[in-house]
Amino acid sequence: MAPPFDFARTALLFVDPYNDFLAEKGKLWPLVAKVAGAVGLHDNLRAVLAAVRGAGLQVVIVPHHRWKPGELDGWDHPNPYMLGGYRHQIFAQGEWGGEWFPDFAPREGDLICTEHWGSSGFANINLDTLLKQKGVTRVILIGLIANTCIESTGKYAVELGYHVTLVRDATAAASEEAMRCAHDINGPTYAHAIVTTAELLATLAQAEAVSA
């Protein structure tokens, strides 16, 4: 992601900023806690959000489907990912775990797309329509989890023609190996740029300076 780039055509996609993922008492926090602590996830997410909002980039919240009782009844082919979330009532609608983590709750001007059922933030929802109506052609991905929703959303974005940037320390996964696979093995096969939070912030600052 070499500067300068067009802020008006770039959006930050923040995937699944729920309490169940990001709060210490969240149902999925134990799954990602070790890696999240090692990379400084919460501080990096805060820094990225502050920088992109300061630069005037569009922020889009890309939320996972919230659990509701009985909703998978009669499904022919719910996948293991969906079934696991259903059994554990992940992101339950109307409950604390399915609420936004306070530091990352949407603000005025942010967009919230419809909830994705599987891993991709684009499949069968309105994200592509929202981005195209805003003239967005580049997306920066942060959130959870690196080797599931982030990877699937990034791959789908590339197939739709978007320029994709992954921020390797503004996400987490269940293991260091999963993170390595997401960013060092699979990421280079589709992402146009894979950067750290510090590198992203430097790029944004440089682009702002050039455009000033």
PDB file of all heavy atoms in Angstrom, residues 111 113-114 121-122 125-136 160 162:
ATOM      1  N   LEU A 111     -20.368   2.736   8.925  1.00  0.00           N
ATOM      2  CA  LEU A 111     -21.381   1.887   8.311  1.00  0.00           C
ATOM      3  C   LEU A 111     -21.375   0.531   8.995  1.00  0.00           C
ATOM      4  O   LEU A 111     -20.333   0.048   9.425  1.00  0.00           O
ATOM      5  CB  LEU A 111     -21.102   1.700   6.815  1.00  0.00           C
ATOM      6  CG  LEU A 111     -21.084   2.952   5.948  1.00  0.00           C
ATOM      7  CD1 LEU A 111     -20.688   2.593   4.513  1.00  0.00           C
ATOM      8  CD2 LEU A 111     -22.437   3.659   5.965  1.00  0.00           C
ATOM      9  N   CYS A 113     -22.651  -3.262   8.046  1.00  0.00           N
ATOM     10  CA  CYS A 113     -23.282  -4.101   7.027  1.00  0.00           C
ATOM     11  C   CYS A 113     -24.108  -5.194   7.692  1.00  0.00           C
ATOM     12  O   CYS A 113     -24.072  -5.374   8.914  1.00  0.00           O
ATOM     13  CB  CYS A 113     -22.236  -4.680   6.076  1.00  0.00           C
ATOM     14  SG  CYS A 113     -21.100  -5.853   6.817  1.00  0.00           S
ATOM     15  N   THR A 114     -24.854  -5.914   6.898  1.00  0.00           N
ATOM     16  CA  THR A 114     -25.656  -7.008   7.440  1.00  0.00           C
ATOM     17  C   THR A 114     -24.748  -8.133   7.924  1.00  0.00           C
ATOM     18  O   THR A 114     -23.590  -8.234   7.535  1.00  0.00           O
ATOM     19  CB  THR A 114     -26.650  -7.520   6.392  1.00  0.00           C
ATOM     20  OG1 THR A 114     -25.972  -7.720   5.143  1.00  0.00           O
ATOM     21  CG2 THR A 114     -27.768  -6.521   6.175  1.00  0.00           C
ATOM     22  N   GLY A 121     -17.217 -11.923   5.076  1.00  0.00           N
ATOM     23  CA  GLY A 121     -18.012 -10.735   5.320  1.00  0.00           C
ATOM     24  C   GLY A 121     -18.718 -10.218   4.080  1.00  0.00           C
ATOM     25  O   GLY A 121     -19.460  -9.238   4.159  1.00  0.00           O
ATOM     26  N   PHE A 122     -18.466 -10.851   2.921  1.00  0.00           N
ATOM     27  CA  PHE A 122     -19.114 -10.436   1.673  1.00  0.00           C
ATOM     28  C   PHE A 122     -20.230 -11.372   1.232  1.00  0.00           C
ATOM     29  O   PHE A 122     -21.174 -10.938   0.563  1.00  0.00           O
ATOM     30  CB  PHE A 122     -18.074 -10.356   0.544  1.00  0.00           C
ATOM     31  CG  PHE A 122     -17.224  -9.116   0.569  1.00  0.00           C
ATOM     32  CD1 PHE A 122     -15.995  -9.131   1.194  1.00  0.00           C
ATOM     33  CD2 PHE A 122     -17.649  -7.946  -0.024  1.00  0.00           C
ATOM     34  CE1 PHE A 122     -15.194  -7.996   1.219  1.00  0.00           C
ATOM     35  CE2 PHE A 122     -16.866  -6.796  -0.006  1.00  0.00           C
ATOM     36  CZ  PHE A 122     -15.629  -6.828   0.616  1.00  0.00           C
ATOM     37  N   ILE A 125     -24.445 -10.950   1.850  1.00  0.00           N
ATOM     38  CA  ILE A 125     -24.817  -9.757   2.616  1.00  0.00           C
ATOM     39  C   ILE A 125     -24.625  -8.520   1.733  1.00  0.00           C
ATOM     40  O   ILE A 125     -24.323  -8.642   0.554  1.00  0.00           O
ATOM     41  CB  ILE A 125     -24.035  -9.632   3.936  1.00  0.00           C
ATOM     42  CG1 ILE A 125     -22.553  -9.369   3.680  1.00  0.00           C
ATOM     43  CG2 ILE A 125     -24.192 -10.885   4.781  1.00  0.00           C
ATOM     44  CD1 ILE A 125     -21.805  -8.936   4.914  1.00  0.00           C
ATOM     45  N   ASN A 126     -24.768  -7.323   2.308  1.00  0.00           N
ATOM     46  CA  ASN A 126     -24.782  -6.103   1.509  1.00  0.00           C
ATOM     47  C   ASN A 126     -23.475  -5.327   1.511  1.00  0.00           C
ATOM     48  O   ASN A 126     -23.435  -4.173   1.068  1.00  0.00           O
ATOM     49  CB  ASN A 126     -25.919  -5.184   1.989  1.00  0.00           C
ATOM     50  CG  ASN A 126     -25.672  -4.616   3.388  1.00  0.00           C
ATOM     51  OD1 ASN A 126     -24.808  -5.096   4.125  1.00  0.00           O
ATOM     52  ND2 ASN A 126     -26.447  -3.605   3.759  1.00  0.00           N
ATOM     53  N   LEU A 127     -22.385  -5.919   1.984  1.00  0.00           N
ATOM     54  CA  LEU A 127     -21.128  -5.179   2.117  1.00  0.00           C
ATOM     55  C   LEU A 127     -20.632  -4.652   0.773  1.00  0.00           C
ATOM     56  O   LEU A 127     -20.231  -3.483   0.667  1.00  0.00           O
ATOM     57  CB  LEU A 127     -20.069  -6.064   2.763  1.00  0.00           C
ATOM     58  CG  LEU A 127     -18.670  -5.452   2.929  1.00  0.00           C
ATOM     59  CD1 LEU A 127     -18.732  -4.149   3.714  1.00  0.00           C
ATOM     60  CD2 LEU A 127     -17.732  -6.457   3.605  1.00  0.00           C
ATOM     61  N   ASP A 128     -20.632  -5.474  -0.248  1.00  0.00           N
ATOM     62  CA  ASP A 128     -20.151  -5.035  -1.560  1.00  0.00           C
ATOM     63  C   ASP A 128     -20.966  -3.858  -2.079  1.00  0.00           C
ATOM     64  O   ASP A 128     -20.410  -2.892  -2.623  1.00  0.00           O
ATOM     65  CB  ASP A 128     -20.212  -6.209  -2.545  1.00  0.00           C
ATOM     66  CG  ASP A 128     -19.637  -5.865  -3.901  1.00  0.00           C
ATOM     67  OD1 ASP A 128     -18.523  -5.304  -3.962  1.00  0.00           O
ATOM     68  OD2 ASP A 128     -20.298  -6.163  -4.919  1.00  0.00           O
ATOM     69  N   THR A 129     -22.270  -3.908  -1.887  1.00  0.00           N
ATOM     70  CA  THR A 129     -23.127  -2.802  -2.328  1.00  0.00           C
ATOM     71  C   THR A 129     -22.788  -1.516  -1.588  1.00  0.00           C
ATOM     72  O   THR A 129     -22.671  -0.436  -2.201  1.00  0.00           O
ATOM     73  CB  THR A 129     -24.606  -3.152  -2.107  1.00  0.00           C
ATOM     74  OG1 THR A 129     -24.947  -4.292  -2.896  1.00  0.00           O
ATOM     75  CG2 THR A 129     -25.506  -1.981  -2.494  1.00  0.00           C
ATOM     76  N   LEU A 130     -22.622  -1.595  -0.273  1.00  0.00           N
ATOM     77  CA  LEU A 130     -22.282  -0.393   0.510  1.00  0.00           C
ATOM     78  C   LEU A 130     -20.970   0.216   0.035  1.00  0.00           C
ATOM     79  O   LEU A 130     -20.864   1.438  -0.134  1.00  0.00           O
ATOM     80  CB  LEU A 130     -22.178  -0.750   1.993  1.00  0.00           C
ATOM     81  CG  LEU A 130     -23.473  -1.101   2.724  1.00  0.00           C
ATOM     82  CD1 LEU A 130     -23.165  -1.475   4.174  1.00  0.00           C
ATOM     83  CD2 LEU A 130     -24.464   0.056   2.679  1.00  0.00           C
ATOM     84  N   LEU A 131     -19.966  -0.626  -0.170  1.00  0.00           N
ATOM     85  CA  LEU A 131     -18.655  -0.118  -0.586  1.00  0.00           C
ATOM     86  C   LEU A 131     -18.716   0.501  -1.971  1.00  0.00           C
ATOM     87  O   LEU A 131     -18.155   1.585  -2.206  1.00  0.00           O
ATOM     88  CB  LEU A 131     -17.623  -1.241  -0.548  1.00  0.00           C
ATOM     89  CG  LEU A 131     -17.317  -1.828   0.835  1.00  0.00           C
ATOM     90  CD1 LEU A 131     -16.312  -2.968   0.717  1.00  0.00           C
ATOM     91  CD2 LEU A 131     -16.794  -0.768   1.798  1.00  0.00           C
ATOM     92  N   LYS A 132     -19.388  -0.158  -2.889  1.00  0.00           N
ATOM     93  CA  LYS A 132     -19.473   0.388  -4.246  1.00  0.00           C
ATOM     94  C   LYS A 132     -20.238   1.704  -4.271  1.00  0.00           C
ATOM     95  O   LYS A 132     -19.885   2.630  -5.019  1.00  0.00           O
ATOM     96  CB  LYS A 132     -20.123  -0.638  -5.183  1.00  0.00           C
ATOM     97  CG  LYS A 132     -19.171  -1.767  -5.593  1.00  0.00           C
ATOM     98  CD  LYS A 132     -19.817  -2.699  -6.589  1.00  0.00           C
ATOM     99  CE  LYS A 132     -18.799  -3.622  -7.261  1.00  0.00           C
ATOM    100  NZ  LYS A 132     -18.016  -4.421  -6.328  1.00  0.00           N
ATOM    101  N   GLN A 133     -21.286   1.828  -3.461  1.00  0.00           N
ATOM    102  CA  GLN A 133     -22.035   3.078  -3.419  1.00  0.00           C
ATOM    103  C   GLN A 133     -21.212   4.221  -2.825  1.00  0.00           C
ATOM    104  O   GLN A 133     -21.484   5.395  -3.100  1.00  0.00           O
ATOM    105  CB  GLN A 133     -23.329   2.888  -2.627  1.00  0.00           C
ATOM    106  CG  GLN A 133     -24.367   2.039  -3.340  1.00  0.00           C
ATOM    107  CD  GLN A 133     -24.791   2.644  -4.663  1.00  0.00           C
ATOM    108  OE1 GLN A 133     -24.968   3.849  -4.776  1.00  0.00           O
ATOM    109  NE2 GLN A 133     -24.949   1.809  -5.676  1.00  0.00           N
ATOM    110  N   LYS A 134     -20.206   3.872  -2.032  1.00  0.00           N
ATOM    111  CA  LYS A 134     -19.298   4.870  -1.465  1.00  0.00           C
ATOM    112  C   LYS A 134     -18.056   5.076  -2.335  1.00  0.00           C
ATOM    113  O   LYS A 134     -17.167   5.852  -1.985  1.00  0.00           O
ATOM    114  CB  LYS A 134     -18.870   4.447  -0.056  1.00  0.00           C
ATOM    115  CG  LYS A 134     -19.974   4.519   0.981  1.00  0.00           C
ATOM    116  CD  LYS A 134     -20.336   5.962   1.312  1.00  0.00           C
ATOM    117  CE  LYS A 134     -21.337   6.032   2.451  1.00  0.00           C
ATOM    118  NZ  LYS A 134     -21.633   7.436   2.850  1.00  0.00           N
ATOM    119  N   GLY A 135     -17.987   4.362  -3.456  1.00  0.00           N
ATOM    120  CA  GLY A 135     -16.849   4.506  -4.351  1.00  0.00           C
ATOM    121  C   GLY A 135     -15.574   3.870  -3.832  1.00  0.00           C
ATOM    122  O   GLY A 135     -14.474   4.211  -4.289  1.00  0.00           O
ATOM    123  N   VAL A 136     -15.697   2.927  -2.908  1.00  0.00           N
ATOM    124  CA  VAL A 136     -14.520   2.306  -2.296  1.00  0.00           C
ATOM    125  C   VAL A 136     -13.959   1.221  -3.214  1.00  0.00           C
ATOM    126  O   VAL A 136     -14.701   0.381  -3.734  1.00  0.00           O
ATOM    127  CB  VAL A 136     -14.887   1.692  -0.925  1.00  0.00           C
ATOM    128  CG1 VAL A 136     -13.748   0.831  -0.388  1.00  0.00           C
ATOM    129  CG2 VAL A 136     -15.226   2.802   0.071  1.00  0.00           C
ATOM    130  N   LEU A 160     -13.792  -9.867  -5.927  1.00  0.00           N
ATOM    131  CA  LEU A 160     -14.703  -8.806  -6.361  1.00  0.00           C
ATOM    132  C   LEU A 160     -13.973  -7.603  -6.936  1.00  0.00           C
ATOM    133  O   LEU A 160     -14.613  -6.642  -7.379  1.00  0.00           O
ATOM    134  CB  LEU A 160     -15.578  -8.355  -5.183  1.00  0.00           C
ATOM    135  CG  LEU A 160     -16.602  -9.381  -4.689  1.00  0.00           C
ATOM    136  CD1 LEU A 160     -17.244  -8.904  -3.396  1.00  0.00           C
ATOM    137  CD2 LEU A 160     -17.668  -9.657  -5.745  1.00  0.00           C
ATOM    138  N   TYR A 162     -11.368  -5.738  -5.289  1.00  0.00           N
ATOM    139  CA  TYR A 162     -10.832  -4.772  -4.339  1.00  0.00           C
ATOM    140  C   TYR A 162      -9.333  -4.982  -4.122  1.00  0.00           C
ATOM    141  O   TYR A 162      -8.819  -6.105  -4.223  1.00  0.00           O
ATOM    142  CB  TYR A 162     -11.533  -4.902  -2.987  1.00  0.00           C
ATOM    143  CG  TYR A 162     -12.985  -4.502  -3.005  1.00  0.00           C
ATOM    144  CD1 TYR A 162     -13.992  -5.449  -3.196  1.00  0.00           C
ATOM    145  CD2 TYR A 162     -13.362  -3.178  -2.828  1.00  0.00           C
ATOM    146  CE1 TYR A 162     -15.327  -5.093  -3.219  1.00  0.00           C
ATOM    147  CE2 TYR A 162     -14.704  -2.808  -2.845  1.00  0.00           C
ATOM    148  CZ  TYR A 162     -15.680  -3.762  -3.046  1.00  0.00           C
ATOM    149  OH  TYR A 162     -16.997  -3.409  -3.071  1.00  0.00           O
TER     150      TYR A 162
END
